[in-house]
Amino acid sequence: MSISPGPYLVVAAALFTIGAVGLLVRRNVLVMFMCVELMLNAANLSFVTFARKLNDIGGQSAVFFVMVVAAAEVVIGLGIIVAIFRRQSGATADDLHMLKG
Amino acid sequence: MSPVLAATKPDLLVFIAASAAVLSGAIGVVVARHPVHSALMLIQTLFGVAVLFVAQGADFLAAVQIIVYAGAIVVLFLFVIMLIGVDKEENVAAEPLRLQRPLALALGALSLLEIVLLSRTEWVTGASSLGGAANGAGDNVVKLGRSVFTQYLYAFEITSILLIIAVVGAVFLARRPPRSRSSEQLEEQR
Amino acid sequence: MIHAAFLIPLLPLLGFALLVVAGKRLGDPLAGWVATLAVAGAFVASVIVALGLHQHHQHAQTQLIFEWLPVGGFHVNASILVDPLSMTMALFVTGVGALIHLYAIGYMHGDSRYPRFFVYLNLFIFSMLSLVLADNFVMMFLGWEGVGACSYLLVSFWFERPAAASAGKKAFVTNRVGDFGLMTAMFLIFAHVGSLTYGPVFAAAGGLGRGTATAICLLLLLGACGKSAQLPLYVWLPDAMEGPTPVSALIHAATMVTAGVYLMARVAPLLAQAPDAATTIAWVGAATALFAATVACAQNDIKRVLAYSTISQLGYMFLAVGSGAYVAGLFHMVTHAFFKALLFLGAGSVIHGMHDEQDMKRMGALRKWMPITSATFIVGWLAIAGVPPFAGFWSKDDILAAAYHKGFALWLIGFVTAGLTAYYMTRQVALVFFGRARWGTGEEAAHVAANQEGHGATPHESPWTMWVPLVALALLATFGWLINAPWHPANFLERWLDPVVGAFSVAHGPSTAIKVSLAAITTVLGLGAIGLGFVVWDRSAEHSELEPEILRQAWYIDPAYAAVIERPGEMLANFSADVIDHGLIDGSVNGVASLVRDSGRELRRLQTGYVRNYALGIAAGTAAMLAYVVVRTW
């Protein structure tokens, strides 16, 4: 017998919160991006777990699409970061506060 | 947690090892000072997640995870780190924004607790096997392919367009602004 | 001949319209002549109509001009009521009015707004005629308001002077209080009778309950007190002397102030149903007469003495009406119009001759320089003092006899007042026309010289347009009593007014013997007062012990009103302005703005610009949603 879905979900939840806290705490833009990837992975893990539990292949298809979109997102995001860092090297997330009200 | 103990020993071992890799890698990503170290810890996490995928019978996805995530995306991160020079060590200890860290930790702990509480409840209902059985006989790739190319065909096509857009966007965003050309044009017109 | 009635109000109205349009172009003195001829024409029309009425044996008739408010069962028409009472009023309003218009031509000469003065005067005559010729309460009220408005316009004619402007306001506002009483009375009449036309109302008078009739009459009295300057609403009349003297003569001596007496006489049928109201009227009149007479003894302004004198004489008329002697009251009204107008016009002549000096203490011995003015003024003085055979003697004694019949206390007050009247008028005549000339030497001469305006330094007689009316009025004051001599058949006025007021007048007055003895002792008192006054005031003008401060300040009534009415009003206004307007309303409007601004400022602190703070917000929201789900499914 394999392991029931419960622990997998707990691992996914822990991964998600670590990624979220990292996003909130780190200032380096690339590290923040990596934390986003952590969160996406946690979601993928949950999807796969539920696909096995509900015996539905649709969960794995969702993971497929999540990965595609994550790839596209990383491409664009890094392009933006490159564009920002051309102006001002060594910038952190805190330096981009021009929308202060 | 008795279902965990009721599992076979190899499965339990694999699960524990992979989970340890995932969580330690995640923590490493967050606390590493150097961004390159963070990237390496990220690879560790991705590998752990791939193992967990395999443990649950999602073979194809595990492979795609390694190839795409660990092989392409993290490499992309590393390229940008090298080319742009975002490689200064960040002063992780200091936090200029007040209350950010304590609040972040508190909210994280709270969310984790809530999710754990929610996961205890058996509230997933509905018919199984709507999109085809995931477990049981047959190759995982075949089943996944059948699902993507029939039931989720539109999503597939749209994501392919999305990828093209992403490529175009990246090229446009990352090119150098044509500053010298416009000033030449202005001088010619005088 | 009665059909000419519509001309009576029409001619002054046409004069008014013509002067409004072309007055400026006509200028000085042509505008004045147009106005005078309009009123003189109205007088001729009044005479014709009165003769026509006499031919019809004083049988009242109505001439309809147009239907104004035909509303279901309620009709108000613009009609002229031709009956003895209204014709009496019309005759002396237009007659005396025409004389005063003639006088004003000369008096107002040189004024920058000369045509406008006559515009207002004609409008006034028209309103007064509307008042007395109306056949229903509504048209009468229109005329009532019209004369109030004209009074305001004329009293504050020289509005550059703040005293004149505020006097006009005071007159209008005080009259308004009275008008409230009149309007409420009209409402009550309509509520109980269903009509406001004199005929139906007086026919239904017998059916009114005693309480209702008393209430109506007391409210009408309030209105009359305002218009005729009785206690407690007299305060506007002394201040109204700020207006030009022809205005004082016309409005505040002969015509407008008599509107109240006219109203009381007109509603005689109602008064017959309310004896308590009649007694109140008599007491109000007596008290006012005595009060005003005491104050007049200590005034130094030549016109103020006459103003208080007017209030006092009007009190006599109210005393008569309240005692049920309508004819006596109306008789005194007519004679009073003659001699009071004469006195005011004479005073105006004195002021004109003394180059706008009005303080009697700075006059003296003017009979040598202004013979016609002084002779006519002396005639007026003798008339008002009640010296036989001048007009005032006969009318005043009729009133005192009626008062004696009503109550001894009333008579006594009237008797004492008669003595005071003789005294203060003698004081005035002695100070102005006799004694030493106090204007030629030292400080007085400098004062006179400063007011020269091209005249000589000495006083001078007035032009003919001013002394001809004086002479005419003097003749009327001398012989005017013949309209109602106390013996039959010379009591024309009594027989003339009989159809209107005869049924409601006191049937049997005191016996002839009592009347004669009362008249005798009153005359003795009057002559004694004259002698005393002359002896005291001819010698010297300084007798401050006879002019106590309390009288000079009119028993401090004006300051009392200011404290009781004005101060609370001022405090309320200040409260409204500071607390309610500034604090509450402005505060809440500004408060809303501050609220918006402050809340915006506080909310802006959320927008730090740091992405990580926004991410923290998202995380907080997520935690909250998860908490909600956990709670719901627990």
Side-chain angles (χ1 to χ4, degrees):
Chain A
M1 260 203 334
S2 27
I3 309 211
S4 71
Y8 285 104
L9 293 176
V10 173
V11 169
L15 183 58
F16 184 86
T17 49
I18 293 172
V21 169
L23 180 63
L24 293 172
V25 170
R26 293 301 296 261
R27 286 192 296 285
N28 188 311
V29 189
L30 280 162
V31 174
M32 288 168 79
F33 226 125
M34 291 182 216
C35 295
V36 173
E37 295 307 318
L38 287 180
M39 290 195 277
L40 284 169
N41 272 285
N44 286 347
L45 189 55
S46 310
F47 266 122
V48 169
T49 308
F50 278 115
R52 184 161 76 96
K53 180 175 186 323
L54 296 175
N55 197 16
D56 187 347
I57 198 67
Q60 295 191 7
S61 312
V63 174
F64 183 81
F65 289 119
V66 169
M67 281 189 199
V68 171
V69 174
E73 170 206 343
V74 167
V75 165
I76 299 292
L78 290 178
I80 291 173
I81 289 173
V82 164
I84 289 172
F85 278 92
R86 264 230 191 88
R87 282 173 134 273
Q88 182 193 4
S89 68
T92 63
D94 284 351
D95 294 329
L96 299 166
H97 59 258
M98 279 79 79
L99 282 182
K100 181 173 164 60
Chain B
M1 285 295 188
S2 44
V4 178
L5 296 170
T8 56
K9 267 222 161 145
D11 283 330
L12 191 59
L13 211 58
V14 166
F15 172 76
I16 290 174
S19 302
V22 165
L23 292 176
S24 61
I27 291 172
V29 168
V30 171
V31 301
R33 271 187 296 212
H34 205 292
V36 176
H37 297 168
S38 294
L40 293 174
M41 299 312 297
L42 182 62
I43 292 178
Q44 177 181 320
T45 303
L46 294 172
F47 265 100
V49 171
V51 169
L52 288 175
F53 279 176
V54 171
Q56 301 201 64
D59 315 323
F60 179 70
L61 286 177
V64 171
Q65 168 95 340
I66 304 293
I67 295 170
V68 171
Y69 252 114
I73 289 174
V74 178
V75 171
L76 203 54
F77 271 114
L78 286 170
F79 270 139
V80 170
I81 291 172
M82 283 190 299
L83 291 173
I84 300 300
V86 195
D87 60 339
K88 287 194 209 44
E89 283 188 12
E90 186 183 327
N91 189 358
V92 188
E95 170 61 75
L97 300 174
R98 276 183 322 148
L99 286 182
Q100 180 82 358
R101 222 167 262 188
L103 271 179
L105 288 168
L107 285 172
L110 185 63
S111 306
L112 181 60
L113 178 67
E114 286 162 349
I115 294 174
V116 167
L117 285 175
L118 283 175
S119 68
R120 278 183 50 173
T121 323
E122 277 287 329
W123 50 281
V124 179
T125 59
S128 305
S129 304
L130 277 176
N135 311 325
D139 281 333
N140 182 257
V141 182
V142 172
K143 286 186 231 167
L144 186 58
R146 191 166 286 137
S147 165
V148 169
F149 286 107
T150 54
Q151 193 172 10
Y152 299 110
L153 183 61
Y154 285 126
F156 178 74
E157 296 299 332
I158 289 168
T159 47
S160 60
I161 295 173
L162 181 66
L163 284 172
I164 298 175
I165 293 170
V167 169
V168 171
V171 168
F172 179 78
L173 279 171
R175 67 177 176 152
R176 288 198 183 280
R179 220 174 293 133
S180 48
R181 241 188 9 189
S182 59
S183 55
E184 279 174 15
Q185 277 180 342
L186 284 171
E187 282 178 13
E188 280 174 13
Q189 280 172 4
R190 271 198 210 118
Chain C
M1 289 164 50
I2 293 190
H3 300 294
F6 72 94
L7 282 176
I8 304 177
L10 181 67
L11 286 172
L13 182 64
L14 285 177
F16 161 74
L18 179 63
L19 286 174
V20 163
V21 170
K24 262 225 181 96
R25 235 172 304 153
L26 291 172
D28 174 353
L30 201 52
W33 282 107
V34 168
T36 309
L37 285 171
V39 180
F43 176 68
V44 170
S46 308
V47 170
I48 295 173
V49 173
L51 286 174
L53 183 63
H54 185 65
Q55 276 182 350
H56 286 256
H57 303 287
Q58 291 94 286
H59 188 71
Q61 302 193 10
T62 313
Q63 184 181 44
L64 175 69
I65 308 291
F66 61 91
E67 267 196 18
W68 186 30
L69 294 176
V71 179
F74 174 58
H75 284 264
V76 172
N77 296 334
S79 322
I80 297 184
L81 173 66
V82 177
D83 85 345
L85 178 57
S86 63
M87 288 322 297
T88 310
M89 300 293 300
L91 278 171
F92 89 81
V93 164
T94 50
V96 176
L99 287 171
I100 295 178
H101 273 73
L102 178 63
Y103 179 90
I105 297 176
Y107 190 84
M108 297 302 291
H109 171 69
D111 193 285
S112 56
R113 290 194 290 272
Y114 187 90
R116 198 191 291 192
F117 186 76
F118 288 97
V119 165
Y120 292 155
L121 273 189
N122 265 18
L123 182 64
F124 171 83
I125 297 281
F126 168 71
S127 305
M128 188 71 197
L129 288 170
S130 309
L131 199 162
V132 300
L133 292 173
D135 84 325
N136 57 67
F137 280 97
V138 180
M139 295 303 295
M140 189 271 292
F141 187 64
L142 283 184
W144 188 274
E145 292 298 313
V147 295
C150 292
S151 170
Y152 163 77
L153 290 170
L154 285 164
V155 166
S156 55
F157 186 71
W158 292 317
F159 52 74
E160 304 87 3
R161 302 219 311 250
S166 68
K169 258 191 308 186
K170 189 171 180 178
F172 199 79
V173 172
T174 317
N175 265 288
R176 220 66 195 109
V177 178
D179 294 346
F180 156 75
L182 180 54
M183 279 194 276
T184 315
M186 280 165 58
F187 298 155
L188 276 177
I189 292 175
F190 180 69
H192 286 271
V193 178
S195 164
L196 283 173
T197 314
Y198 290 153
V201 170
F202 297 144
L208 288 172
R210 178 137 158 182
T212 315
T214 309
I216 292 175
C217 292
L218 286 176
L219 287 166
L220 288 173
L221 173 64
L222 183 62
C225 282
K227 206 51 108 190
S228 298
Q230 299 295 293
L231 287 170
L233 295 175
Y234 77 92
V235 290
W236 61 272
L237 190 52
D239 285 8
M241 296 297 114
E242 294 286 336
T245 308
V247 170
S248 306
L250 180 63
I251 296 183
H252 307 127
T255 44
M256 185 177 96
V257 292
T258 56
V261 183
Y262 164 76
L263 177 67
M264 291 289 107
R266 178 57 79 188
V267 299
L270 290 175
L271 280 179
Q273 298 296 114
D276 298 324
T279 312
T280 313
I281 295 174
W283 275 102
V284 166
T288 308
L290 182 61
F291 161 80
T294 55
V295 176
C297 294
Q299 299 299 312
N300 289 336
D301 184 308
I302 190 174
K303 282 173 72 172
R304 282 220 168 199
V305 176
L306 296 174
Y308 282 105
S309 172
T310 304
I311 299 174
S312 181
Q313 298 299 310
L314 287 167
Y316 270 117
M317 295 179 220
F318 274 73
L319 174 60
V321 164
S323 307
Y326 292 102
V327 173
L330 291 166
F331 181 33
H332 195 64
M333 182 165 76
V334 174
T335 57
H336 173 262
F338 296 151
F339 57 69
K340 192 46 69 60
L342 169 63
L343 288 169
F344 262 111
L345 295 184
S349 180
V350 167
I351 295 170
H352 181 83
M354 288 290 291
H355 314 297
D356 298 326
E357 176 61 69
Q358 288 189 231
D359 188 346
M360 295 194 297
K361 295 287 172 79
R362 286 201 240 251
M363 301 177 186
L366 284 179
R367 70 184 185 287
K368 299 180 205 148
W369 279 271
M370 306 172 75
I372 306 181
T373 306
S374 54
T376 51
F377 201 94
I378 286 172
V379 169
W381 161 54
L382 292 173
I384 194 175
V387 174
F390 294 94
F393 164 73
W394 305 97
S395 55
K396 194 179 294 192
D397 277 305
D398 272 351
I399 294 177
L400 287 176
Y404 185 81
H405 186 72
K406 179 89 174 173
F408 181 74
L410 286 170
W411 174 83
L412 189 61
I413 294 176
F415 176 71
V416 169
T417 309
L420 285 173
T421 308
Y423 165 72
Y424 68 69
M425 286 310 299
T426 310
R427 171 177 174 266
Q428 181 173 43
V429 170
L431 280 175
V432 174
F433 294 106
F434 291 90
R436 226 178 6 92
R438 292 179 295 278
W439 44 265
T441 52
E443 170 200 345
E444 288 84 8
H447 181 85
V448 168
N451 286 330
Q452 273 197 31
E453 299 171 337
H455 296 266
T458 52
H460 61 88
E461 189 55 85
S462 309
W464 73 268
T465 47
M466 284 171 71
W467 62 252
V468 162
L470 289 178
V471 170
L473 287 169
L475 289 170
L476 285 169
T478 311
F479 299 109
W481 58 273
L482 286 169
I483 61 173
N484 197 36
W487 57 85
H488 195 88
N491 54 344
F492 298 111
L493 191 62
E494 192 174 339
R495 287 184 293 132
W496 170 256
L497 288 173
D498 189 62
V500 183
V501 297
F504 311 104
S505 301
V506 163
H508 304 284
S511 66
T512 315
I514 296 184
K515 272 201 224 177
V516 169
S517 33
L518 287 176
I521 51 174
T522 313
T523 312
V524 166
L525 175 68
L527 290 171
I530 291 175
L532 173 70
F534 216 87
V535 161
V536 170
W537 292 99
D538 187 33
R539 289 227 194 97
S540 139
E542 297 304 314
H543 290 283
S544 49
E545 70 277 4
L546 289 173
E547 298 171 350
E549 190 63 28
I550 187 172
L551 291 184
R552 213 126 38 95
Q553 299 294 342
W555 300 85
Y556 298 110
I557 288 198
D558 261 329
Y561 279 175
V564 169
I565 296 173
E566 276 178 57
R567 282 289 301 140
E570 238 182 278
M571 283 163 56
L572 184 65
N574 284 343
F575 176 75
S576 298
D578 293 335
V579 174
I580 296 181
D581 192 40
H582 188 67
L584 206 64
I585 296 179
D586 275 356
S588 51
V589 170
N590 291 346
V592 168
S594 309
L595 185 69
V596 171
R597 190 183 58 230
D598 294 340
S599 58
R601 190 177 53 225
E602 290 308 308
L603 282 174
R604 210 165 42 161
R605 288 168 52 179
L606 275 179
Q607 298 214 308
T608 56
Y610 293 118
V611 181
R612 298 199 291 137
N613 281 349
Y614 298 158
L616 195 60
I618 295 174
T622 309
M625 279 199 297
L626 285 172
Y628 174 73
V629 175
V630 167
V631 165
R632 283 296 296 260
T633 61
W634 197 248

